[in-house]
Amino acid sequence: MKTSKKAITLTLLFNLFVLFTFAQTESNNSKITVAKFVKFYNSNQQDSIFHIFSPKTKQELPLEKTKAFLTQLKSRYGNIKQADFQSYRSGFGVYKTELDKGLLTISIAVDNNKAITGLFAKPYEVAIVAKIPRNITPMQLPFKGEWTVFWGGDTKEQNYHVAVNFQKNAFDIIITNSQGKSYKTDGKTNEDYYAFAQPLLSPCDGEIVLTVDGVKDNTPGKLNPMFTTGNSVLIKTKNNEYILLAHFKQNTIKVKQGDKVKQGQQLGLCGNSGNSSEPHLHFHIQDAEDFYNTIGVKCYFNKLQVNGITKSDYSPVKGDKIKMAN
C-alpha cells in the first residue's frame, strides 16, 4: 500500500557513513565546524563555507552549486538564530535550527579534520510517538502455510511504509515459490498468484469496527489509489489496538461492523484490491481508529516459524519466510 507525503526537502548527501553511531554528545569537531558554518552562513560568506568542505564534497558540490543552495536557503528561511544539537544519526550531527522564518532540522557530518562531508536540511518536524510502543494483545499470523515478508522492518530499505505515520510498522506479505517468484506462470492474472484467494484469519480476539468489501480487484501491475486499502477489515482489541488487514478479494469478507471475532476465525480471502500491484496481504496495527490521526504500532507475533526456526515474540522483517509454529 503506497501513500505519498509532500514535503519541502533540501538534500545534499555526499559520502556513506556508518549505519549506527552510539555517541549522543556533540563532538568537539562538530561543535567547532557547526559554529563556523553558522557564522559564515549568517554573514553571507559562502566562499568560506565552501572552503570548510572536504575535498570530495567540493567535487560533488562545486562552488557555484554551493552558492545556489545557500542562497535558496537564506531566501526561504533567513539567518540562523540558534542551532541546538539533538543527536547523531548515521554519522550526521542533527541540529534543531531556529531561523528568522521558521525551524529546520539541519544535519551536518564532519570528519576528523573538521571538514564538512555531508549536509542535509529539511523542515523541522515534532516527533510523534505512538500511544503504545508495541502490541499488548497476543497476535498470531493471519494465514496458514508459509508466506514471505516483502516489506517489513524498521528501515526504509526494509520497509517503505516507515515514512507514513499510520502504517509505519506495516507488513506487506506474499507467497513465493522455491525460486522466489510470487506467481506460477506469467503473472498477468490474479489467479496466477499463489496468495490470491488464500484464507485470511483474525490475528486475535476483537471487535470489527470497519469493513469494506465492494472494491474491484486490480489487474496485476495496475493500482487503484482512490481506494487505498481496498477491501479491508479493521479490528479493535480490548487494549485499544486497531489491526488493519487490507487488499481482500472483492465480495469475500465474512464479517461486518459490530461482529465479535476470535483468533483464527476466517475474515475473507486474499485479493488485489486498492493501491496494490499484485495479490498480497497488507497488515498493520495502529493506536487509534482514525487513519489520519494515528501512529503505527510495532507488531510482535506470539509464536511463529521464521526461516524454519521457531521464534517467540518476534516482529518479522523483509525477506523472512514465516508460518505458524506447530
Side-chain angles (χ1 to χ4, degrees), residues 10-12 37 41 46 53 61 63-75 119-121:
L10 301 170
T11 308
L12 298 169
F37 174 84
Y41 173 85
Q46 296 173 345
F53 284 172
L61 193 73
L63 180 58
E64 290 308 310
K65 288 187 178 181
T66 298
K67 287 183 175 181
F69 168 71
L70 295 171
T71 298
Q72 183 182 15
L73 198 63
K74 178 68 74 71
S75 174
L119 178 63
F120 178 89

Side-chain angles (χ1 to χ4, degrees), residues 195-223:
F196 190 69
Q198 290 296 313
L200 297 178
L201 316 175
S202 180
C204 59
D205 295 351
E207 178 184 351
I208 304 298
V209 295
L210 174 71
T211 63
V212 177
D213 195 31
V215 181
K216 185 178 179 180
D217 287 281
N218 304 322
T219 300
K222 296 184 178 180
L223 304 173

Side-chain angles (χ1 to χ4, degrees), residues 30-253:
S30 292
K31 190 177 297 184
I32 292 170
T33 300
V34 170
K36 286 182 179 180
F37 174 84
V38 172
K39 176 185 175 182
F40 295 150
Y41 173 85
N42 285 343
S43 59
N44 295 316
Q45 294 179 262
Q46 296 173 345
D47 289 358
S48 297
I49 290 177
F50 181 77
H51 288 312
I52 58 173
F53 284 172
S54 69
K56 183 171 178 59
T57 303
K58 289 176 180 176
Q59 290 178 2
E60 298 285 347
L61 193 73
L63 180 58
E64 290 308 310
K65 288 187 178 181
T66 298
K67 287 183 175 181
F69 168 71
L70 295 171
T71 298
Q72 183 182 15
L73 198 63
K74 178 68 74 71
S75 174
R76 186 171 296 180
Y77 290 99
N79 284 335
I80 295 173
K81 293 181 177 181
Q82 187 169 333
D84 294 322
F85 175 78
Q86 304 290 294
S87 63
Y88 281 105
R89 296 177 194 167
S90 300
F92 284 78
V94 179
Y95 296 82
K96 178 182 178 182
T97 308
E98 181 184 359
L99 298 95
D100 292 331
K101 301 177 186 178
L103 285 173
L104 289 176
T105 296
I106 295 181
S107 302
I108 299 179
V110 177
D111 65 17
N112 291 333
N113 296 317
K114 303 184 182 67
I116 293 176
T117 57
L119 178 63
F120 178 89
K122 67 177 183 178
Y124 180 79
E125 296 180 357
V126 177
I128 304 174
V129 179
K131 298 183 183 100
I132 48 176
R134 54 154 295 161
N135 57 297
I136 302 168
T137 304
M139 296 286 159
Q140 74 168 33
L141 292 176
F143 46 75
K144 295 180 180 179
E146 184 176 78
W147 292 51
T148 300
V149 180
F150 188 81
W151 291 115
D154 298 328
T155 68
K156 288 182 180 179
E157 291 74 22
Q158 293 175 316
N159 194 356
Y160 83 90
H161 299 100
V162 299
V164 183
N165 281 338
F166 79 90
Q167 56 176 338
K168 66 182 299 182
N169 290 294
F171 304 103
D172 280 345
I173 313 174
I174 60 178
I175 299 177
T176 58
N177 62 20
S178 57
Q179 286 76 46
K181 292 175 60 176
S182 58
Y183 51 87
K184 303 168 190 174
T185 60
D186 57 14
K188 292 183 178 180
T189 66
N190 286 317
E191 290 76 14
D192 198 28
Y193 286 79
Y194 297 109
F196 190 69
Q198 290 296 313
L200 297 178
L201 316 175
S202 180
C204 59
D205 295 351
E207 178 184 351
I208 304 298
V209 295
L210 174 71
T211 63
V212 177
D213 195 31
V215 181
K216 185 178 179 180
D217 287 281
N218 304 322
T219 300
K222 296 184 178 180
L223 304 173
N224 182 358
M226 183 174 290
F227 301 99
T228 303
T229 62
N231 302 309
S232 48
V233 173
L234 188 65
I235 304 170
K236 179 184 178 182
T237 72
K238 64 180 181 180
N239 296 310
N240 291 319
E241 303 138 319
Y242 292 81
I243 299 97
L244 178 75
L245 295 91
H247 309 311
F248 284 78
K249 182 181 179 184
Q250 185 182 28
N251 298 327
T252 66
I253 292 177

